[in-house]
Every structure is written in C-alpha cells, then in structure tokens.
Amino acid sequence: MKILKILLLSLTVSTLLFGCSPEENNLKHKNVLDVDIGSEPATLDPGKVEDAEELRILNDLFAGLVDFSQSNVPAAGLASNWDITNNGKTYIFHLRSHLKFSDGSPIRASDFVYSWQRLVDPQTASPYNFLLNDVVNAPEIIAGTKPSSSLGVSAPDDHTFVVNLIRPDRQFLVYLTLPATYVVPQNTIKLYGNNWTNPKNMVTSGAYKLNAHVVNGYVMVQKNPYFYDAKHVTIEYVKYFPIVDSNVAISSYKTGELDTTWKNVPIDQFATIKQQFANQLHVTPAERTMHLSFNLKLPKYANNIKLRQALSMAIDRNVLTNEVLKSGQKPLYSIVTPTINYQRYANVRYTWADLSRKEQIAMAQKLYADAGYNAKHPAHITLSYFTNDLNKKTCLAIASMWQSILGANVKIQTQERKAFDALGHKGDFDIRLSTWGADYNAVTTYTNIYRCNNANNYANYCSNAYESYIELAQNTTSDADEIKLYSDAISTANNDYPVIPLYQPTQQRLVSTRVLNYLIDENYLDNVQSKWFTFNK
C-alpha cells in the first residue's frame, strides 16, 4: 500500500481536529504540489526557526523586506526599494503600497518594528537573533542589558522602515532574506501567545497561508489571496510530508505521490536512480562543508600543528569523493567552499592542494615524524561520527588512509545525532566528523563559526590574527579590501589547521517533470519558494 495513503488514512481523525474542510480532504483534483521535507518541523514561528525543513515551509508562509531569486540574489520584497545612507550605517526601506496579511489586515512599517524587536528579545530565544547583531543596541538587548524597545529601528510612517547600524555591514541585505527577519502579525501573537501558529489562528504575510498541520503527518498551505504578488502565484496548494526514511521518499516519488524529494538518494541506490531518472535527478553542489574538527582542548592537538597538518595531507580527497562516495561530491581544501559569495574565495586554499599525491604523502609522513610519532609510537585517534551510511563510509576510508600512510592507531565511534551534537558542544570528543551548511550567500556564513566562543566552533579554535582580519573586514566600506581581508582570515585559519576540510557535498533532488520553473541547478543554498513554480499541463 502506498505510504502516503497510509499516512492520510491513519491521520483522518487528527485532521478533523485541525478543522480541515471536505475540500482539503479531496485534493486529488486540485492544484497541489506534494513535497517531502525530511522530518517534522519543530516550529512554524519565524522567530524560532532553526532547521531546513522549517525554512522550506516558512519561505512560503511569510515574507520580508528583501526577497531572493533562485540563484540566491537579494531582490525587492515587501520593500519595493531602499536607500543606504550615513556611510552604510542607515537603511531606509520603502514598503509597497496596500500590503496585507492573510486576514486582510494592513502590513505597516510598525509591524516590522515589532517583528525585529521580538526577534532580538531574549524571551523569544531566537537561534537567528545574530542576524541583527549590527543593528544599534541589538547585542545589548540579546544579552538582556537593554529593553527590546531600544533596538535601532523606527517607523516614521506606515510605509517607511528605518534601520540604524552600529557599523557598515556589506552583507546586511543578504541576512534579510532569511525568514527570521520576516514580518509577523503582532495582534495575532499578542492574542494567542505560543498558540498563534495553530492553523485556526495563524496569520501570514507570504504567498501562502496555513490550512492544516497534522504532527508527523503533513502540513498543508493554500495560496494567500492578499499576497501583494498573488497574481503570479500559480500553484494553489502545497503539501509538505515529513518523510524521515529516504527509501520511503524514493518509493513515494516513483509512485507519483511526491513531486519533489528532500534527502539525498541512498548511496547504494545512486547509480540506479541516476540511470532510471536521468532527467529528474538533479545533483548540484550544496553550499555546505564536510570536515573533521580537532578537539583543540586536547594538548596532543593544540600543541602539535605538524600532527594536524600531517593528518590533513594524508587524506586523499579525490579517492574519497570519486571512488568511495561517488555521488558528485568535490574535494575541499579550505574552511569555505569555492562556490560561496559568487566564487570570490575559490582560490583561497591549501598551497599543497595541487601537489602530486606522491609529494603530498611524502610531506605528510615527514610532518608525522617531526610531530613525534612513528611505528613504535603511533598517534592514537578516536574518530567519531553521527550514524548514517555516508558518514560511515567517509570515516572508514579516512581511518584506512591514516593507518596505511602514517601508521596511526585509529578507533571509529558512531553515535546517534542528538548524543553526537551534545558531546560536540561539551567538547567530549577526539576528532569528529562535522558539517556546516550556509544560511545565506556570504562568506561570513562560514568564517563566523571559527571565531572565538562561537557555539558551533567545535574545534575551540581561537586566533587573535583571525579575529583581527574579520573585524577589519566587517568595518571596511571597500569591496576590494573586504575580499582581501576575508581571504587573509581564511588563509590564517587554513594554515592553523583547526579542522580538516574534506569535501563539498551535493544536494540530490528528484523533481517531477510536471514541475516547471524550478531552477534547482542554480540554487546551491537550497532555499526554496513554491511561488516560483508552475505545473506542466
């Protein structure tokens, strides 16, 4: 029996609790996009969003001052245009006329004041409050030392929203493409509190409005007739299914119950799926890094850069990507991808990356010996990863290279994701397989995680030189100087070896031929809006 039919049948009673109409229960003849989002969204509140499956839905439900294209370029959104004054420290956004929420009430500049104050309010505890770090008083508000009302934003009239920054931020417009900064309905939130995201209560600002949410079943949204650009939104309904098992998603796609998949194709099925669905399987670089993090709290790594470099050079990234993983991944020789920020930093990488494999091995072995290790005194390493097949294959291959090339003694340890992340934050590991996905198309999405005291800096790397370059880059108004300073920062971190970059992953999506205008091959960030699509009729 088809998996989605099973879900629908088993959840019929639950759907009634959410007030689903007979029309919603019989959508086979409607204009419906069926998509997999990989897992149940933890929240539909833009102020509390954290994970990709939530972002996929919230990009449909809400809108912000700045929109984005399928190639992740900022564009006019609810603001038709803006002025940047005061040497880059003041942004004046001009809202479109006659903007409305999904209940027909007007969207005013004061609603953005409320939404942004709510984002930085410690009571909201938003994981993305850092997006407003450069707004006047935001750091103090987030720290709890100033009230949210002191945030450097204002609404001189209903159509003008003014933002005052502490310093110029050349990436600021990019940050505003994320749902955390989108406008939310203050009256609804004040009326219903935490229950405002219930389908009976929710009011939205984007191309769609919420119809139903059956936990672990599906989320259903419908076109918002009050959206300012509703005439160009052609798909009436979108239904998101939280299918955890990628094998189930593949089966559902094959039977036509899904229009798009979410998770990557299982590695053992990749070649078959690629052949069977040649014009439907899209394999593109993901704006993400896969790397190993050293635990620099441990003296054996903190005090021995030669060991760290030897372990990095001993890994044959071409063999790893082309012979082990074989799903389009690309070798990575830097803490940032070559694709971020329109490839501005593609040439900033290890100087030894272009050496022959023979030369790399010779250098790695010499560094290993200089670090104080040999056959009688091997380095003892515990390599940990969170459980999945791709990670297992990656770590087995790396362990084999370290053992055969350097003679290291390697133990592999696997953990479930929650335990793995918890141990990482505690610093309870030796070397861990880590990943980081870009939130936006700017190099800071990577460089910030290697700053001192960043919660995602598992390696516990902290460099005064690195911090200095980042600070200078953030304060410059020159495009050329910014590129030079971030390049210097990246080179500094690369040469310090706090992590071992391995490869840039791919995103693998099956997209039905009935879905048109999905330019997935341009969208490395995989930020998606259903309003872009139409159906092939």
Side-chain angles (χ1 to χ4, degrees), residues 53 56 58 65 72-73 78 114 167 188 228 276 293 296 304 311 325 337 345 364 391 418 486 507 525 533:
E53 60 269 15
R56 173 65 182 90
L58 291 174
L65 297 163
N72 303 301
V73 177
L78 297 186
Y114 166 80
R167 58 188 174 189
T188 302
Y228 78 92
Q276 185 177 0
S293 296
L296 296 181
N304 204 333
L311 291 170
L325 304 179
T337 66
Y345 304 94
N391 290 346
K418 287 185 178 179
Y486 276 122
Q507 55 190 25
L525 285 174
F533 310 150

Side-chain angles (χ1 to χ4, degrees), residues 382-393:
T382 299
L383 177 58
S384 58
Y385 67 92
F386 69 83
T387 306
N388 75 31
D389 188 51
L390 195 71
N391 290 346
K392 179 179 180 180
K393 283 180 164 57

Side-chain angles (χ1 to χ4, degrees), residues 447-455 457 460-464 466-467:
T447 56
N448 283 346
I449 67 171
Y450 296 105
R451 302 198 65 176
C452 302
N453 301 317
N454 186 295
N457 184 358
N460 293 292
Y461 175 62
C462 187
S463 161
N464 290 335
Y466 184 81
E467 293 290 318

Side-chain angles (χ1 to χ4, degrees), residues 11 13-21 24 197-200 210-215 218:
L11 292 165
V13 175
S14 298
T15 59
L16 294 175
L17 295 176
F18 287 85
C20 294
S21 67
E24 291 171 350
T197 58
N198 186 298
K200 295 182 295 184
L210 184 64
N211 269 11
H213 182 187
V214 180
V215 176
Y218 64 84

Side-chain angles (χ1 to χ4, degrees), residues 59 209 365 426 441 449 459:
N59 274 327
K209 60 181 181 178
Q365 291 173 336
K426 290 179 182 177
N441 190 24
I449 67 171

Side-chain angles (χ1 to χ4, degrees), residues 305-444:
I305 192 172
K306 290 183 177 179
L307 174 61
R308 303 200 302 269
Q309 183 176 354
L311 291 170
S312 183
M313 295 187 71
I315 297 172
D316 191 329
R317 291 158 176 81
N318 288 311
V319 168
L320 180 62
T321 55
N322 297 330
E323 299 180 24
V324 178
L325 304 179
K326 299 185 290 187
S327 302
Q329 296 87 350
K330 298 296 183 184
L332 189 61
Y333 298 93
S334 174
I335 64 167
V336 308
T337 66
T339 51
I340 196 67
N341 241 147
Y342 313 108
Q343 304 182 10
R344 283 182 170 182
Y345 304 94
N347 295 323
V348 187
R349 59 185 200 151
Y350 293 141
T351 55
W352 50 261
D354 294 323
L355 295 178
S356 68
R357 184 59 189 152
K358 183 177 180 181
E359 291 173 310
Q360 290 177 0
I361 290 173
M363 283 185 64
Q365 291 173 336
K366 184 178 187 305
L367 285 164
Y368 185 73
D370 291 346
Y373 296 96
N374 52 50
K376 293 184 179 179
H377 178 55
H380 289 268
I381 297 167
T382 299
L383 177 58
S384 58
Y385 67 92
F386 69 83
T387 306
N388 75 31
D389 188 51
L390 195 71
N391 290 346
K392 179 179 180 180
K393 283 180 164 57
T394 298
C395 289
L396 285 172
I398 290 170
S400 177
M401 293 174 192
W402 283 345
Q403 290 166 341
S404 63
I405 293 170
L406 301 177
N409 187 322
V410 185
K411 175 184 175 182
I412 296 179
Q413 186 177 76
T414 182
Q415 294 145 349
E416 292 304 314
R417 182 62 185 264
K418 287 185 178 179
F420 180 75
D421 288 345
L423 291 172
H425 285 300
K426 290 179 182 177
D428 188 5
F429 66 94
D430 193 59
I431 298 177
R432 75 191 301 271
L433 182 64
S434 300
T435 185
W436 184 258
D439 290 313
Y440 46 84
N441 190 24
V443 73
T444 54

Side-chain angles (χ1 to χ4, degrees), residues 84-91 165-171 344 470-486:
I84 304 174
T85 64
N86 190 22
N87 295 318
K89 292 195 293 184
T90 299
Y91 284 69
L165 302 182
I166 302 167
R167 58 188 174 189
D169 189 339
R170 297 173 62 80
Q171 317 300 333
R344 283 182 170 182
I470 296 294
E471 288 293 330
L472 289 170
Q474 288 181 335
N475 284 286
T476 186
T477 58
S478 163
D479 190 60
D481 287 347
E482 179 186 83
I483 294 172
K484 174 65 166 59
L485 289 164
Y486 276 122

